[in-house]
Amino acid sequence: MTSTALTTTSREWHLTRRPQGVPVKEDFALVDVELPPPASGEVLVRNSFLSVDPYMRGRMNDAKSYVPSFQLNHPMDGGAVGLVEQVGANATDSSGTSIAVGDTVEHPLGWRSSSLVPARMARVLDTKLAPAQAYLGVLGMTGLTAYAGLLRVGELTEGDRVFVSAAAGAVGSVVGQLARLKGASFVVGSAGGPGKSSWLLDDAGFDAVVDYKATPIYKGLAEAAPEGIDVYFDNVGGDHLEAAIGAMRPRGRIAICGMISVYNDTQPKPGPRNMPMIIGKRLTLRGFIVSDHADLRPQFEAEVGPWLSQGKIVWRETVVDGIDNAVNGFRDLMAGANTGKMLIRL
């Protein structure tokens, strides 16, 4: 179906300078732009939720990485979901499904109120299974990151003892629950503060939680898991990685997803002081990027979708309202102010 062609005003966030350390509001600008009607193979989407994620901090630097840096004075991008308002001719999504006005889609051109999206970059969503924003979190990139990192990279086997850092975050909270559902014998997480710790214990089914703001993580993990751990899912790096190496049992596996503790550093920090233990314990440390495991998405959705609908996986959102507050939401995320997935609601 092709809609009536109308121009649309969109508000979009631009990066205006490279942050030095913690990003500040002067590094960004909110710009009004006029979007033309969608051309053939394009759709116009009014966004309802935007995703902000830790990896975006690296894209603000001018450094070679696995994903291109944000360009200065250009719109930033990221995951988004929204309602299709206009459709160009021959608009089919990434699966070959025709897109119509009124469809809800996921796409990668976030950080703006409306997006002109190449249809092949969008995906029509089944909102009967879960709300649209779940496809930015538990059923989206963060959920797939947890699934691929724990099962393929971390090689979880039944009976393993598992440690997850940043366990109350979007990825970590899913990792712990997947580990439990897949037969882990013990799941311990780290989190900052009693509220997050209580949620992990009471709702998400963790066996133990270390509040790293109350107890040094090395001491807290040793007390919470005196028998050691077999798999560590790392979202933090730094002292958490050092503590995990100390707690690992022989032939343990470490899946390194992120190192949020160092993303704002202006000078590199020394690595873990106990790295020689990697040799004696015969440990495996593997970094991974979720895009390398896109082939797992059908399996992930087929397995996690029913668990979600059956209430076997719980999920939380921290929502910041308004495009004007998107940068504030990102800054809050980097400061650990979120429980579960951090979203910007438009």
Side-chain angles (χ1 to χ4, degrees), residues 46-50 112-114 320-324 326 344-346:
R46 176 168 50 84
N47 295 320
S48 53
F49 284 91
L50 310 177
R112 57 201 98 181
S113 58
S114 292
V320 173
D321 282 307
I323 187 70
D324 298 46
I344 311 302
R345 178 170 52 202
L346 307 185

Side-chain angles (χ1 to χ4, degrees), residues 69-345:
S69 298
F70 291 133
Q71 296 182 52
L72 293 181
N73 302 308
H74 284 75
M76 297 186 292
D77 56 70
V81 295
L83 193 69
V84 175
E85 292 193 322
Q86 298 181 43
V87 179
N90 305 310
T92 56
D93 75 356
S94 56
S95 68
T97 301
S98 293
I99 303 178
V101 170
D103 282 343
T104 299
V105 298
E106 172 196 9
H107 64 85
L109 299 182
W111 284 97
R112 57 201 98 181
S113 58
S114 292
S115 303
L116 194 60
V117 182
R120 58 180 174 75
M121 295 173 64
R123 182 169 68 124
V124 177
L125 300 178
D126 177 9
T127 55
K128 295 178 183 178
L129 178 62
Q133 69 269 25
Y135 290 91
L136 297 176
V138 65
L139 281 177
M141 180 185 72
T142 50
L144 181 58
T145 300
Y147 190 88
L150 178 67
L151 302 181
R152 177 177 280 176
V153 180
E155 299 178 350
L156 178 79
T157 59
E158 189 172 351
D160 278 344
R161 299 170 61 83
V162 177
F163 171 43
V164 188
S165 57
V171 173
S173 59
V174 178
V175 171
Q177 294 179 81
L178 288 176
R180 174 172 48 80
L181 289 164
K182 286 289 189 177
S185 62
F186 181 80
V187 180
V188 56
S190 71
K196 294 181 180 182
S197 299
S198 295
W199 177 66
L200 291 171
L201 291 169
D202 298 340
D203 298 332
F206 279 65
D207 295 294
V209 178
V210 179
D211 180 352
Y212 65 85
K213 292 184 176 180
T215 304
I217 186 61
Y218 206 113
K219 177 176 182 290
L221 181 59
E223 292 174 349
E227 296 180 22
I229 55 174
D230 301 293
V231 177
Y232 171 45
F233 193 106
D234 190 14
N235 292 303
V236 173
D239 58 352
H240 279 66
L241 179 56
E242 183 173 298
I245 291 172
M248 295 297 290
R249 303 206 287 192
R251 294 182 173 81
R253 289 87 65 203
I254 298 177
I256 302 178
C257 171
M259 294 190 174
I260 196 171
S261 68
V262 302
Y263 287 170
N264 286 324
D265 289 352
T266 56
Q267 296 294 327
K269 289 181 179 176
R273 295 167 294 180
N274 57 356
M275 288 184 70
M277 288 185 177
I278 296 170
I279 303 167
K281 294 185 177 184
R282 288 82 114 193
L283 305 181
T284 300
L285 287 73
R286 290 178 60 193
F288 74 100
I289 306 300
V290 64
S291 57
D292 293 337
H293 303 279
D295 62 295
L296 286 178
R297 178 172 287 280
Q299 176 182 324
F300 157 70
E301 291 183 347
E303 193 162 20
V304 173
W307 282 338
L308 199 63
S309 63
Q310 295 163 14
K312 293 181 178 180
I313 291 181
V314 299
W315 52 295
R316 290 275 297 271
E317 300 169 347
T318 300
V319 177
V320 173
D321 282 307
I323 187 70
D324 298 46
N325 293 315
V327 167
N328 292 336
F330 174 74
R331 284 163 45 84
D332 286 348
L333 168 76
M334 297 301 293
N338 61 300
T339 299
K341 177 65 181 172
M342 177 67 88
L343 295 167
I344 311 302
R345 178 170 52 202

